């Protein structure tokens, strides 16, 4: 059985038409107008493929291709259709179109698997509405309750519950739809790499072996605010150079003192009162630390904390750390990796095993089932912007590998 390269490319273009903003990129937030239109279009295709469609109370879509043995639990395959603001055409969509292609080809060939296969589209993966990623998959595995959803808010102050209800969903009824270990045999996700490794290594496919864990920390450096003209240098407790020194130490820690796989990023910086002629009283910034080894994440935090203590003593400033988010690294299932390796190697010699620095819905699903991921290259490593691009031939190859892996798992 072979995938249809033209149909795959056409469906990717079709999804890009569902767009909330005409700004050169794709903006399709879950529960918005373009999302609703994309869902309706997708569900129509699922019905044409005679899939049994279920939409859960937070908006995850499941579409089932029935197997011949109803005693067997299903294989899931899918990704997400929501995007960041002014994002690209491929993030999430490649995995959704890949899963649609797998089921289209299976139907065309009257394939009769023993195990059912379910296309799954996770809602609100990007966190574009509420600043929290993977709302759909977290709710699906029981990691995000209706009460917790009520606390999440958009920038405009609407609660997650209000937004879902306005879109016709009933998050308080999610309890009946939560998946537990033993409900799903395996989950496969095809995704763009969103990094530069495959391109650098000149490989067309990646078999993901681990998904990095992360810790997001907010750092606040407090000093003494004062007049920028009348305060001599030797009488200052300026938090800005202290923060600058610490940021330099953070880069040095991740680059030279932990593992090759360790990354640390200071992505936001703010200061108070934020005036050109005032020594700031407070500087805040965030650190995003990621690694596939939890020990390495902890070692990075410990070393940065020690650096902060030293700076604090030397410069007479107070430095506080607050963890605002974390997730554990995930090793993908060896059973599914074996299947995926067989699948990719029967499509191409141009593949490698690799880690994922980005977190995906598959990482959430790993809590309840065996998970596998296939990556296709991102040109220039670019993602989450309109320049995101993966060649049609690489996408088709990824879809073909996905087809081989799904058919082996559900045979
Ligand atoms: Zn994605």
């Amino acid at each position: 059985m072979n995938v249809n390269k033209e149909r795959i490319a056409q469906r990717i273009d079709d999804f890009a038409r569902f767009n909330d903003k005409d700004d050169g990129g794709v903006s399709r937030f879950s529960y918005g107008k373009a999302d609703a239109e994309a869902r309706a279009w997708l569900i129509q295709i699922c019905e044409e493929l005679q899939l049994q469609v279920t939409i859960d109370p937070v908006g995850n879509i499941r579409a089932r291709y029935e197997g011949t043995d109803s005693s067997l639990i299903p294989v899931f395959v899918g990704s997400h259709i929501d995007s960041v603001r002014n994002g690209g055409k491929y993030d999430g969509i490649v995995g959704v179109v890949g899963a649609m292609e797998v089921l289209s080809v299976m139907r065309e060939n009257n394939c009769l698997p023993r195990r059912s296969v379910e296309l799954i589209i996770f809602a609100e993966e990007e966190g574009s509405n509420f600043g929290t990623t993977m709302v759909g998959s977290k709710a699906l595995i029981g990691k995000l309750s209706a009460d917790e959803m009520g606390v999440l808010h958009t920038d405009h102050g609407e609660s997650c519950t209000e937004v879902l209800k306005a879109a016709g969903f009933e998050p308080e009824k999610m309890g009946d739809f939560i998946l537990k270990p033993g409900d799903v045999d395996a989950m496969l996700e095809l995704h763009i790499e969103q990094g530069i490794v495959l391109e650098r290594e000149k490989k067309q496919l990646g078999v993901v072996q681990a998904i990095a864990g992360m810790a997001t920390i907010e750092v606040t450096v407090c000093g003494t605010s004062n007049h920028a003209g009348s305060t001599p240098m030797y009488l200052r407790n300026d938090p800005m150079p202290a923060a600058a020194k610490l940021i330099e130490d953070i880069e040095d820690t991740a680059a030279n003192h932990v593992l090759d796989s360790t990354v640390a990023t200071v992505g936001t910086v703010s200061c108070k009162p934020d005036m050109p002629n005032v020594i700031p009283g407070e500087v805040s910034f965030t650190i995003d630390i990621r690694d596939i080894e939890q020990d390495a994440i902890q070692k990075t935090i410990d070393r940065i904390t020690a650096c902060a203590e030293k700076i604090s003593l030397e410069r007479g400033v107070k430095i506080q750390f607050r963890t605002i988010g974390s997730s554990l690294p995930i090793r993908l299932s060896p059973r599914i990796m074996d299947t995926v390796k067989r699948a990719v190697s029967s499509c191409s010699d141009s593949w490698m095993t690799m880690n994922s620095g980005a977190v995906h819905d598959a990482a959430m699903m790993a809590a309840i089932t065996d998970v596998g991921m296939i990556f296709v290259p991102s040109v220039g490593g670019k993602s989450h912007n309109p320049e995101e691009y993966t060649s049609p031939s690489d996408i088709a190859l990824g879809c073909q590998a996905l087809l081989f892996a799904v058919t082996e798992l559900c045979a």
Side-chain angles (χ1 to χ4, degrees):
M1 292 193 288
N2 287 314
V3 298
N4 179 332
K5 190 174 159 186
E6 286 71 38
R7 178 168 58 197
I8 293 165
Q10 184 60 51
R11 282 179 175 164
I12 289 172
D13 286 344
D14 286 342
F15 264 116
R17 288 188 289 114
F18 303 112
N19 193 352
D20 282 322
K21 275 207 168 70
D22 188 14
D23 54 6
V26 174
S27 298
R28 186 174 45 244
F29 289 11
S30 283
Y31 318 120
K33 185 169 172 285
D35 177 66
E37 289 165 1
R39 286 163 169 276
W41 176 77
L42 169 77
I43 289 167
Q44 192 192 330
I45 293 176
C46 290
E47 284 168 353
E48 284 163 14
L49 290 170
Q50 296 151 31
L51 308 180
Q52 191 191 324
V53 177
T54 311
I55 301 160
D56 75 22
V58 300
N60 298 311
I61 301 171
R62 289 167 60 180
R64 187 177 173 100
Y65 186 111
E66 205 62 52
T68 55
D69 186 345
S70 59
S71 69
L72 297 175
I73 52 176
V75 170
F76 275 24
V77 56
S79 192
H80 61 95
I81 61 167
D82 65 319
S83 80
V84 296
R85 192 182 305 280
N86 199 224
K89 273 166 66 177
Y90 302 91
D91 181 357
I93 292 301
V94 162
V96 171
V97 169
M100 289 164 75
E101 184 62 22
V102 166
L103 296 177
S104 299
V105 172
M106 285 173 67
R107 188 60 84 203
E108 281 162 359
N109 288 274
N110 295 317
C111 186
L112 294 173
R114 287 198 307 133
R115 220 177 261 289
S116 298
V117 182
E118 287 198 21
L119 165 67
I120 178 137
I121 317 290
F122 297 102
E124 185 62 5
E125 192 270 350
E126 297 288 3
S128 302
N129 284 303
F130 314 112
T132 297
T133 57
M134 296 174 290
V135 164
S137 51
K138 282 176 185 164
L140 189 61
I141 61 161
K143 214 184 155 190
L144 186 71
S145 68
D147 288 348
E148 287 166 323
M149 276 182 247
V151 178
L152 300 175
H153 279 83
T154 66
D155 289 347
H156 314 296
E158 289 168 291
S159 77
C160 176
T161 310
E162 286 165 346
V163 171
L164 264 75
K165 283 190 180 281
F169 299 106
E170 300 173 291
E172 70 281 2
K173 294 188 177 162
M174 191 59 198
D176 296 340
F177 291 81
I178 290 171
L179 295 174
K180 293 177 223 47
D183 287 340
V184 181
D185 179 62
M187 153 92 202
L188 287 170
E189 183 170 5
L190 171 69
H191 205 280
I192 56 168
E193 182 200 342
Q194 304 180 286
I196 204 162
V197 176
L198 287 171
E199 187 176 86
R200 281 279 160 85
E201 300 295 327
K202 297 190 167 51
K203 303 287 187 200
Q204 284 183 289
L205 296 170
V207 177
V208 180
Q209 58 184 353
I211 298 175
M214 63 186 288
T216 313
I217 295 165
E218 184 185 68
V219 182
T220 309
V221 186
C222 296
T224 310
S225 182
N226 215 329
H227 196 288
S230 57
T231 316
M233 295 309 282
Y234 74 98
L235 286 178
R236 296 182 181 207
N237 301 109
D238 186 343
M240 188 61 85
K245 176 73 180 74
L246 183 55
I247 291 169
E248 216 183 330
D249 288 343
I250 291 164
E251 185 196 29
D252 175 52
T253 299
N256 303 312
H257 296 275
V258 197
L259 300 179
D260 285 348
S261 51
T262 311
V263 290
T265 306
V266 174
T268 68
V269 181
S270 64
C271 80
K272 286 180 193 163
D274 199 18
M275 310 261 285
N277 57 353
V278 180
I279 300 166
E282 188 181 297
V283 177
S284 306
F285 59 90
T286 52
I287 323 173
D288 173 310
I289 302 165
R290 303 190 193 209
D291 202 288
I292 52 160
E293 302 291 346
Q294 184 59 26
D295 282 356
I297 295 175
Q298 193 53 51
K299 199 176 163 195
T300 306
I301 295 171
D302 292 346
R303 191 173 187 280
I304 291 170
T305 308
C307 292
E309 280 164 11
K310 190 160 169 272
I311 292 167
S312 173
L313 283 173
E314 283 169 4
R315 293 175 176 264
V317 294
K318 211 169 122 196
I319 305 180
Q320 288 172 320
F321 286 72
R322 187 170 73 92
T323 302
I324 53 178
S326 66
S327 64
L328 293 171
I330 286 158
R331 297 265 154 201
L332 298 196
S333 151
R335 171 175 78 98
I336 308 302
M337 268 183 69
D338 283 349
T339 298
V340 172
K341 282 178 183 172
R342 272 191 294 279
V344 296
S345 49
S346 53
C347 298
S348 168
D349 292 332
S350 175
W351 65 274
M352 61 185 284
T353 53
M354 62 188 303
N355 300 319
S356 172
V359 183
H360 299 282
D361 290 308
M364 292 299 116
M365 293 297 284
I368 62 127
T369 189
D370 287 347
V371 163
M373 285 195 82
I374 301 170
F375 276 174
V376 285
S378 296
V379 171
K382 288 186 181 145
S383 184
H384 282 187
N385 71 55
E387 288 175 57
E388 188 176 272
Y389 182 72
T390 300
S391 77
S393 50
D394 286 348
I395 294 172
L397 198 64
C399 294
Q400 187 67 46
L402 190 67
L403 174 65
F404 285 155
V406 170
T407 46
E408 181 181 313
L409 289 172
C410 69

